[in-house]
Amino acid sequence: MALSNNQKEQELTKLNKEMAEKRKKLKSDIHKADYDKSNLVKFFDLFLLANSKVNIGSSEYIPHYVEQILLSIAWMNGSTKEDLLTLYQSLPESCFNLDKSGIKDSGIKDPTKQTAWMQEKYLESSYTTLVSDVMKLTATDRAKYFLAHPDDLTFMSYGRPMLDPQALPTIGFQQVDFVHPVSKTPERMPDCMEMAILNKMLNDLAGGPGNTFNVATLKENLKEMGYQMHIGLDKFLEKYPNPSQVNEIAAHKMWAELVSGLPGVKYNPIHPTFEIVPTVGNALAVFGALLFNSKLTPLPGDFIDYEKLDRDRAKKMDMICKVLSRKDREIGWQLRGKDGRGVDDKELNDESKNETNLVLEFTVNRQSKYDWVINSGHSQVNPKLSSKNDFRTGVGKEMAELILKDKGKLFKEGSGRLLSWLITSDLSNDKEIISKLKSANATTIAPTHYSDFINGIPLESVDNKLFVIGEFAETASAEEGNVSKVDKLKSKIPQDLAPQRRLYATLADHYYYHKIKSGAIESKTDDPKYKDKKPLFTPITLPKSDLRIKVLGSKYVWEEGGLVLGDTIKNPNGSDKKMNFKDAVTYCLSLNKTPLPTTQAEFERFASDKANKPPFNFCYLPTREEYEMFSKKMNGNGSYKGNYLPHFLANLYERWFWSSSVRNAFEAYVFDGNNGFVSNFKRNISNSVRCACAVTWRGN
């Protein structure tokens, strides 16, 4: 007898409680010990118990999630198809998806299908043969071939990073847990700049014998220049000699430990010995510490001292590219201007203009291969799509055309995932594919099938992660579980300020924004799910010990354009401390040890003096202009009148805030926390208050 939804929910809750302690103990045992095959048995016991107790599919996970986990674990415990077959034959058929008729047809126990499957082989040489064959076809014919032979595309897509010497390593980033090499304390950080530095170096070393990183030539180049690499770098490249494992968690951890606490490198001020600040100077300092670590004796006659190049950053970059080059693989570089064109490499020496927020373009044998984007809040390496020897070139667009011509039928047959394998880690290469599918998504392709395509997009870059989050958010109402997918992916965005702002600008354009604008929040103001008890964004970028945070409010502080905007002032019971205009001005001024000015009249005279420009170097009530700047930053489209989202920051919703700007003798300007607009009220009315101060303020 089928269970009702209520019974399923009760059964699932009971099962979760029953298994929670078992999962906790198993996780603890695994963490304490080295990997043991016996853990596999325990895993399957738990899995089969869950499956037998209640068979409820979860929309929170991508399709075939369980099968992928099982397959991954199976590969850890076997190296042949015979091993896989032995393992999977022991599983009950209820573990596998049923087809539409309810009859399973995996063929796992069919001797004929078993024999055919066992005879299918993909070898290293198969990759070269397949690429050679498909490159003889036009892009359209390649698309047709891959739709007819999805197994070949699967093999080529997964095999490319390891088997194609022309392929650049694809390295993602994450919140990495590691032990600091100096303090020996456990730390956690987003490793964007760290992995970008590694990505640049491994891109240049790629394509060595057997598709390994050509470390031998690197060492020889360093020796000829009179240097020896850092012993930690030597050990890292020995442990990870090819692209197949550099994305593993252990690799992220080892690299984080290597590049933390290096001399001459500027780290995040909050923890000044780890989390590299994304700047050109820091990149050069890290390469100096790792590549040009120690000098050999005797020195060669043409020895160039990397350290003494001092501020000649262009020559330092030349040295880095030279030492990472080899006879058949010359590495070059240029600084890209704002218009996208290259500029004189001497421009790199102007630190005031070219320390961050720039793009370095790198070439291999004078062919553009990848860009290194260094922004103030994030850094990443974006590979270029090579048109000459990349089997993916042009195929995605043609496959999308075929799917649309077939009115989306092919998507239902699983080609959505095939198409996602043709998407690169740089979405700018694939705008045509995305735009074609999006234009037809509502009428031709069902949301569930489009989601299958989105599920398969590579997530190494911030751009791809944000795109996938946006797509799931946009279809949240049509596709059950997409809200949960967004919430899971949100945690993968680095905690750097720039990516976080882009994340919430993305969400402002999609489901959170639509929920708010459709009245879900306005009509349910007592619903804690939407109240500011759980804000979407709390951008605290200052050290917790900073006096400004203690003064302005310890929780929800916003830093922007040299201004620190504090939390909403509260009463001891947690309610807003409402004030009239005069009291609001006086309250914020009273936060200073030696307040200047001290009264409303003095502040008005001070602020009206054109010689005094905000942000002022003391605590004060924010100006109208500063609230307008704040409003723009809270918009998805960056404009004053756009997709303003009050839940970017807590304690904004359903409030009016006094500004220090006066309209006339009777009225002053106020900021509407609901909609982000500035209006004006009579000065005797009571409103909420937020104080502000300059970033440079230190408790005067």
Side-chain angles (χ1 to χ4, degrees):
M1 181 178 177
L3 296 174
S4 67
N5 288 337
N6 187 46
Q7 288 173 319
K8 285 183 180 181
E9 197 66 39
Q10 292 176 354
E11 193 71 20
L12 186 59
T13 302
K14 180 181 176 182
L15 176 64
N16 284 337
K17 290 180 179 179
E18 180 183 324
M19 295 177 63
E21 287 302 316
K22 292 184 179 181
R23 286 198 301 267
K24 185 177 179 181
K25 184 178 184 303
L26 176 58
K27 183 177 180 180
S28 175
D29 291 343
I30 292 173
H31 284 180
K32 290 177 182 177
D34 292 332
Y35 176 73
D36 190 323
K37 284 189 178 182
S38 64
N39 291 328
L40 179 67
V41 178
K42 296 179 182 178
F43 171 83
F44 277 119
D45 286 344
L46 287 174
F47 175 77
L48 295 175
L49 174 63
N51 196 75
S52 62
K53 288 275 186 179
V54 55
N55 190 15
I56 302 175
S58 174
S59 59
E60 294 187 7
Y61 297 97
I62 62 175
H64 315 299
Y65 184 71
V66 172
E67 295 97 308
Q68 290 173 2
I69 290 177
L70 292 175
L71 185 59
S72 299
I73 294 177
W75 278 123
M76 293 173 65
N77 294 272
S79 57
T80 66
K81 286 189 174 183
E82 288 84 352
D83 294 335
L84 287 179
L85 197 60
T86 300
L87 181 63
Y88 272 84
Q89 280 185 317
S90 66
L91 295 176
E93 299 206 353
S94 60
C95 292
F96 298 87
N97 288 342
L98 304 180
D99 65 11
K100 292 180 181 179
S101 64
I103 302 173
K104 179 176 166 294
D105 186 28
S106 68
I108 198 169
K109 296 180 180 178
D110 184 327
T112 303
K113 291 185 177 181
Q114 280 186 25
T115 302
W117 181 68
M118 295 289 286
Q119 291 175 347
E120 293 175 357
K121 301 287 183 184
Y122 282 109
L123 307 174
E124 186 173 339
S125 58
S126 304
Y127 180 85
T128 306
T129 302
L130 278 170
V131 170
S132 176
D133 290 344
V134 299
M135 289 304 289
K136 295 173 185 176
L137 305 175
T138 64
T140 303
D141 288 339
R142 259 181 282 159
K144 293 177 180 178
Y145 177 85
F146 287 140
L147 285 170
H149 301 86
D151 47 347
D152 284 353
L153 179 58
T154 304
F155 169 68
M156 294 172 71
S157 298
Y158 281 106
R160 184 175 177 274
M162 292 169 281
L163 304 176
D164 191 339
Q166 300 299 320
L168 298 178
T170 303
I171 300 180
F173 51 83
Q174 58 183 250
Q175 294 288 124
V176 60
D177 296 291
F178 67 102
V179 176
H180 196 281
V182 179
S183 66
K184 305 302 180 185
T185 57
E187 305 290 358
R188 194 166 199 259
M189 68 176 182
D191 64 354
C192 308
M193 184 61 175
E194 287 75 7
M195 297 313 290
I197 291 171
L198 176 62
N199 206 161
K200 184 268 181 295
M201 182 174 65
L202 296 186
N203 278 355
D204 300 344
L205 295 176
N211 202 28
T212 59
F213 300 126
N214 201 325
V215 181
T217 302
L218 170 61
K219 289 182 177 180
E220 187 61 35
N221 288 347
L222 285 170
K223 184 178 179 181
E224 289 180 4
M225 297 173 71
Y227 289 98
Q228 189 172 28
M229 73 170 66
H230 191 293
I231 188 172
L233 176 60
D234 198 1
K235 289 181 179 179
F236 182 89
L237 294 173
E238 182 180 350
K239 187 173 180 64
Y240 299 100
N242 61 60
S244 64
Q245 294 178 304
V246 291
N247 257 325
E248 291 183 350
I249 294 175
H252 282 255
K253 178 182 176 182
M254 186 176 182
W255 186 254
E257 292 172 354
L258 175 59
V259 298
S260 295
L262 293 175
V265 178
K266 294 179 182 178
Y267 297 93
N268 190 324
I270 298 177
H271 32 250
T273 60
F274 65 94
E275 192 180 346
I276 302 170
V277 176
T279 66
V280 173
N282 272 339
L284 296 174
V286 172
F287 280 122
L290 298 184
L291 294 175
F292 309 103
N293 181 260
S294 57
K295 300 170 185 176
L296 301 175
T297 53
L299 294 174
D302 57 350
F303 177 78
I304 300 175
D305 196 325
Y306 185 87
E307 291 180 3
K308 290 185 178 180
L309 289 175
D310 195 25
R311 295 185 180 277
D312 197 335
R313 308 196 300 176
K315 284 188 178 179
K316 283 187 174 182
M317 189 62 74
D318 287 341
M319 281 188 69
I320 294 167
C321 289
K322 181 179 179 181
V323 81
L324 292 171
S325 296
R326 53 184 185 265
K327 202 170 187 179
D328 59 343
R329 193 179 176 87
E330 180 185 1
I331 310 300
W333 71 278
Q334 68 171 340
L335 175 66
R336 284 237 306 266
K338 292 183 179 179
D339 58 0
R341 294 178 296 178
V343 297
D344 190 339
D345 60 10
K346 293 180 181 178
E347 288 277 331
L348 193 65
N349 294 331
D350 189 345
E351 293 184 31
S352 63
K353 295 181 181 178
N354 296 311
E355 180 66 353
T356 189
N357 297 323
L358 51 79
V359 177
L360 293 170
E361 181 180 15
F362 290 90
T363 61
V364 176
N365 297 333
R366 300 187 179 183
Q367 181 183 354
S368 181
K369 293 293 286 187
Y370 63 93
D371 290 337
W372 186 355
V373 181
I374 302 177
N375 291 328
S376 57
H378 179 64
S379 179
Q380 69 184 46
V381 171
N382 297 326
K384 301 286 186 70
L385 187 64
S386 173
S387 59
K388 291 184 178 180
N389 52 19
D390 195 324
F391 67 84
R392 301 171 298 173
T393 303
V395 178
K397 176 186 173 184
E398 297 299 327
M399 187 179 287
E401 292 276 14
L402 292 171
I403 290 170
L404 295 179
K405 285 180 181 178
D406 202 55
K407 299 187 181 301
K409 181 182 178 183
L410 287 169
F411 251 47
K412 298 177 184 178
E413 296 171 358
S415 63
R417 189 56 60 89
L418 293 182
L419 186 57
S420 65
W421 285 334
L422 299 170
I423 301 291
T424 67
S425 58
D426 180 5
L427 274 177
S428 63
N429 295 324
D430 311 301
K431 289 180 180 177
E432 287 187 279
I433 302 174
I434 304 298
S435 62
K436 285 182 180 298
L437 292 179
K438 285 179 69 67
S439 65
N441 188 18
T443 56
T444 305
I445 303 171
T448 52
H449 303 133
Y450 183 72
S451 291
D452 196 37
F453 160 68
I454 297 299
N455 276 317
I457 289 178
L459 296 175
E460 289 83 6
S461 68
V462 168
D463 290 340
N464 285 27
K465 283 186 174 72
L466 290 173
F467 171 76
V468 171
I469 286 173
E471 293 305 290
F472 279 143
E474 189 171 16
T475 58
S477 59
E479 178 80 1
E480 184 184 355
N482 276 358
V483 173
S484 297
K485 292 175 185 177
V486 169
D487 289 338
K488 284 182 171 66
L489 272 177
K490 276 168 55 181
S491 65
K492 304 298 183 183
I493 300 297
Q495 294 302 308
D496 299 329
L497 198 57
Q500 286 292 312
R501 284 179 180 163
R502 289 182 60 197
L503 166 65
Y504 290 97
T506 298
L507 292 180
D509 284 332
H510 295 297
Y511 79 103
Y512 282 125
Y513 169 70
H514 292 308
K515 281 186 177 179
I516 290 171
K517 294 302 180 184
S518 65
I521 288 181
E522 284 85 348
S523 62
K524 298 180 179 180
T525 55
D526 58 341
D527 188 342
K529 182 177 180 181
Y530 297 114
K531 290 288 282 185
D532 35 330
K533 293 177 182 177
K534 188 178 180 182
L536 295 177
F537 194 21
T538 55
I540 300 174
T541 61
L542 304 171
K544 291 183 179 179
S545 60
D546 194 293
L547 183 59
R548 292 168 293 182
I549 286 193
K550 292 181 180 178
V551 169
L552 296 178
S554 60
K555 284 189 176 181
Y556 307 121
V557 178
W558 180 280
E559 181 181 349
E560 179 65 45
L563 176 78
V564 180
L565 182 66
D567 197 1
T568 300
I569 305 302
K570 298 285 188 178
N571 289 310
N573 64 1
S575 63
D576 284 14
K577 187 178 181 67
K578 300 289 184 72
M579 309 177 205
N580 61 33
F581 174 71
K582 180 180 179 180
D583 290 344
V585 173
T586 304
Y587 177 88
C588 292
L589 291 173
S590 71
L591 297 176
N592 303 288
K593 290 182 180 178
T594 54
L596 178 70
T598 58
T599 66
Q600 173 193 340
E602 287 178 358
F603 181 80
E604 287 185 24
R605 285 196 295 272
F606 178 89
S608 63
D609 188 338
K610 293 182 179 179
N612 300 320
K613 295 182 179 180
F616 308 125
N617 196 29
F618 51 83
C619 285
Y620 60 97
L621 195 64
T623 66
R624 168 189 178 177
E625 291 75 17
E626 285 169 333
Y627 266 125
E628 288 176 343
M629 174 191 71
F630 172 66
S631 178
K632 290 179 182 179
K633 294 298 180 181
M634 302 269 284
N635 273 276
N637 61 6
S639 65
Y640 177 47
K641 296 181 179 180
N643 299 338
Y644 172 84
L645 187 63
H647 281 51
F648 266 163
L649 198 62
N651 301 324
L652 279 178
Y653 189 65
E654 290 189 326
R655 293 171 173 87
W656 291 91
F657 296 89
W658 283 116
S659 82
S660 60
S661 301
V662 296
R663 186 186 183 204
N664 52 44
F666 306 101
E667 296 175 314
Y669 289 101
V670 292
F671 175 70
D672 180 358
N674 276 6
N675 300 306
F677 296 118
V678 170
S679 185
N680 53 276
F681 282 174
K682 290 184 177 180
R683 298 191 190 189
N684 61 349
I685 293 176
S686 294
N687 283 316
S688 296
V689 176
R690 283 179 181 260
C691 299
C693 65
V695 170
T696 54
W697 182 81
R698 289 294 182 271
N700 54 310

